[in-house]
Amino acid sequence: QVQLVESGGGLVQAGDSLSLSCAASGSTFSRKPMGWFRQAPGKGREFVAAFIWKSCSTYYGDSVKGRFAISRDSAENTVYLQMNSLKPEDTAVYYCAARQRPYYSSDYYYTRTDDYDDWGQGTQVTVSS
């Protein structure tokens, strides 16, 4: 069981950068897939990025490829989302997620909400035009 707390959200202008943090407690997230999702009003929760320890790989949603980067600090049990070239359409509540169940396979990227077991409370990111 992992408790997740996101931070770093706020109000920025289009073209700016912002870094989000997700602090884990209760259990280490070493060797556990971690993900970022976002949800705008009236929309479903959208996949943003995933970090898969087993394959040492990252994967990104089409809307953020080339602009966002996921990383982790295992020593401090923290995962980050670096957001660059922000656009108004990036405005959403951003959620950190952790998987507790075994891996499905070595080449799966965990892009669905049902792939994860623990979620943070979310942090608001607002990008003005």
Side-chain angles (χ1 to χ4, degrees):
Q1 184 68 37
V2 177
Q3 292 77 50
L4 304 171
V5 180
E6 303 95 334
S7 62
L11 175 63
V12 298
Q13 294 183 347
D16 286 352
S17 296
L18 194 64
S19 182
L20 306 182
S21 299
C22 174
S25 62
S27 300
T28 178
F29 58 60
S30 180
R31 301 293 300 172
K32 299 176 181 177
M34 302 289 295
W36 284 97
F37 291 76
R38 66 187 184 184
Q39 187 166 18
K43 297 184 178 180
R45 195 160 294 188
E46 176 189 13
F47 171 74
V48 174
F51 180 84
I52 300 91
W53 280 88
K54 187 174 182 178
S55 58
C56 298
S57 62
T58 59
Y59 193 73
Y60 298 93
D62 290 339
S63 63
V64 305
K65 287 181 179 178
R67 299 189 297 120
F68 291 9
I70 187 172
S71 61
R72 85 280 179 254
D73 182 346
S74 59
E76 298 182 16
N77 284 348
T78 304
V79 63
Y80 305 92
L81 183 68
Q82 178 63 46
M83 309 164 67
N84 301 315
S85 301
L86 284 163
K87 305 174 181 179
E89 50 263 44
D90 294 319
T91 296
V93 177
Y94 284 71
Y95 297 90
C96 177
R99 181 178 175 88
Q100 299 296 317
R101 288 163 284 161
Y103 287 94
Y104 285 138
S105 66
S106 61
D107 59 352
Y108 186 68
Y109 294 112
Y110 304 92
T111 62
R112 303 181 180 93
T113 57
D114 287 346
D115 292 328
Y116 297 89
D117 303 294
D118 298 312
W119 294 82
Q121 83 289 347
T123 185
Q124 176 71 48
V125 173
T126 302
V127 184
S128 63
S129 60

